[in-house]
Amino acid sequence: MTYLWLKAGHIIFVIFWMAGLFMLPRYFVYHQEAPEGSPENALWLERERRLLRIILWPAMTVSWLLGLALAYNTGAFTQGWFHAKLGFVLILSAYHVWLAGYHDALKQGVRKLSGKKLRMLNEVPGLAATLIVIMVVLRPF
């Protein structure tokens, strides 16, 4: 029964995390279209801050905790597919941290990337999720 609760919780919080990872770069695109110093710019900063603080950071943290507990519970630490999955999750976590850093740059008025590049970056979570699900479901090694 513990396994099922861990699995359900892990899936739920991964969904929350992924939703936030899809939303934040889109927020950045709209944010960058707002004039610097405008009320609209301030609104986007607040939206991004809330998304990071209320959804993204807690969802990532709980996903990691439940995922590690699940791996421990199932003995996955010794399996190759899990190592690959863990590598992709580390990349996804680094992407998350990078997004938080980009938010901080926007707060300081630094707009490093074009809307087109941000739209392309929006594909990172989808690609990572695809690879992670393949590792978990197919367990190719």
Side-chain angles (χ1 to χ4, degrees):
M1 194 62 151
T2 301
Y3 166 76
L4 294 175
W5 280 108
L6 289 172
K7 187 175 180 179
H10 182 62
I11 292 168
I12 290 165
F13 280 92
V14 166
I15 290 169
F16 294 158
W17 187 28
M18 294 301 297
L21 289 175
F22 280 116
M23 288 175 64
L24 192 56
R26 203 50 145 158
Y27 278 16
F28 292 161
V29 170
Y30 300 135
H31 181 170
Q32 290 192 168
E33 293 172 354
E36 238 183 284
S38 69
E40 186 182 359
N41 185 69
L43 279 173
W44 283 112
L45 283 171
E46 181 59 19
R47 289 173 183 142
E48 293 158 9
R49 184 190 69 78
R50 285 182 179 174
L51 182 60
L52 279 160
R53 190 169 156 253
I54 297 169
I55 296 174
L56 278 164
W57 288 114
M60 181 180 77
T61 302
V62 175
S63 293
W64 266 98
L65 292 173
L66 292 174
L68 291 172
L70 195 56
Y72 177 77
N73 188 271
T74 62
F77 287 109
T78 62
Q79 299 173 28
W81 68 267
F82 179 75
H83 297 151
K85 176 199 174 183
L86 190 58
F88 294 130
V89 174
L90 285 168
I91 291 167
L92 196 58
S93 298
Y95 174 73
H96 174 141
V97 171
W98 182 86
L99 289 175
Y102 197 77
H103 166 72
D104 291 339
L106 288 172
K107 234 184 338 190
Q108 297 169 5
V110 178
R111 298 174 182 213
K112 301 174 190 175
L113 299 175
S114 67
K116 183 178 180 178
K117 286 184 183 174
L118 287 168
R119 284 178 180 90
M120 287 173 48
L121 281 171
N122 206 32
E123 302 306 319
V124 170
L127 178 60
T130 300
L131 295 170
I132 290 165
V133 168
I134 288 170
M135 289 302 116
V136 173
V137 174
L138 299 179
R139 298 183 181 191
F141 42 86

